Amino acid sequence: MNVLMINGSPKPNGNTAIALHEMEQIFVQEGIQVETVHVGKKNIRGCIGCNKCMEAGKCVFDDLVNETAPKFEACDGLVVGTPVYYASANGTLVSFLDRLFYAGSSAMRYKPAAIAVIARRGGCTSAFDAMLKYPTYNQMPVVSGDYWPIAHAHVDPAQLRCDEEGLFTLSTLARNMAWMLRCIEAGKKAGIQPEYVEKNIWTNFIR
């Protein structure tokens, strides 16, 4: 089993990376492989709604989104970590996820997803809510912990290490995800497969 981690921070060794590393340690203990993609410093434009990905199977803008798509498809679970900027997730991460999910959401159905949010003080729950929209739109089971998956720190990474409750929450989140992955794997071995209706029903509010 393997988990794909998305680090949405522009600081590869910052507090978001430390938070994801806490989770990675648990995954390794549980025998789960981890790969991390750093998004925050990349030059990633937003989705323009051209729908060309529906024809080509990939985004028309050939950047980190298309590089990540095969990893997106191959992983068994997804973890997204984000710092909080202006009470929401990093804008680069949002653009990345918009296009990645738009072009490849079918590859993520029924794979567990977890969110980790890091902030100095406020905006955590609004950023968490924004990130939740991706898995909940794509039939991905959302992994929960014993509290909202939030940890606090500002510039100094040592501050995050002092947030014992936050780190414990993230460790619990990782353990719950490992448990869910094993349950799904056991279900597959037992021949249990999800039922999915291929044809969506689309309606418009304007008739």
Side-chain angles (χ1 to χ4, degrees):
M1 291 183 291
N2 64 87
V3 167
L4 179 64
M5 289 184 136
I6 306 295
N7 184 348
S9 172
K11 301 172 184 176
N13 299 310
N15 292 307
T16 304
I18 293 173
L20 292 178
H21 182 65
E22 289 293 318
M23 297 182 69
E24 181 178 353
Q25 288 180 305
I26 301 301
F27 290 137
V28 172
Q29 292 173 14
E30 298 287 343
I32 297 171
Q33 296 180 348
V34 176
E35 182 175 2
T36 301
V37 174
H38 295 274
V39 174
K41 234 177 182 180
K42 302 291 185 179
N43 185 18
I44 300 173
R45 65 175 300 158
C47 177
I48 62 172
C50 67
N51 290 324
K52 294 297 183 182
C53 59
M54 302 300 176
E55 303 170 13
K58 63 179 182 178
C59 186
V60 293
F61 302 115
D62 198 17
D63 55 16
L64 184 65
V65 171
N66 287 343
E67 291 177 30
T68 307
K71 302 173 183 179
F72 200 51
E73 185 171 358
C75 73
D76 297 302
L78 179 71
V79 176
V80 177
T82 182
V84 175
Y85 297 154
Y86 283 88
S88 191
N90 179 9
T92 304
L93 175 63
V94 172
S95 295
F96 174 84
L97 292 176
D98 281 353
R99 288 171 49 212
L100 186 65
F101 272 85
Y102 204 114
S105 60
S106 61
M108 296 307 292
R109 291 190 189 114
Y110 314 119
K111 296 180 180 181
I115 312 296
V117 179
I118 315 302
R120 180 190 69 84
R121 189 171 180 87
C124 293
T125 52
S126 54
F128 177 51
D129 177 67
M131 292 293 97
L132 274 178
K133 290 177 172 59
Y134 296 98
T136 53
Y137 184 81
N138 288 279
Q139 303 184 63
M140 299 175 72
V142 176
V143 183
S144 61
D146 64 326
Y147 193 74
W148 291 285
I150 293 166
H152 290 90
H154 191 204
V155 178
D156 185 0
Q159 294 177 353
L160 184 66
R161 300 194 187 280
C162 292
D163 184 5
E164 296 182 11
E165 181 179 356
L167 293 178
F168 176 78
T169 299
L170 295 176
S171 296
T172 303
L173 185 68
R175 293 188 191 282
N176 288 351
M177 187 168 199
W179 170 80
M180 189 178 291
L181 286 169
R182 288 196 297 270
C183 289
I184 292 173
E185 183 182 42
K188 288 180 179 177
K189 290 179 179 178
I192 301 173
Q193 296 293 336
E195 295 183 7
Y196 177 69
V197 179
E198 289 295 333
K199 184 175 176 56
N200 288 340
I201 299 174
W202 297 96
T203 60
N204 298 316
F205 291 107
I206 299 174
R207 302 294 180 181

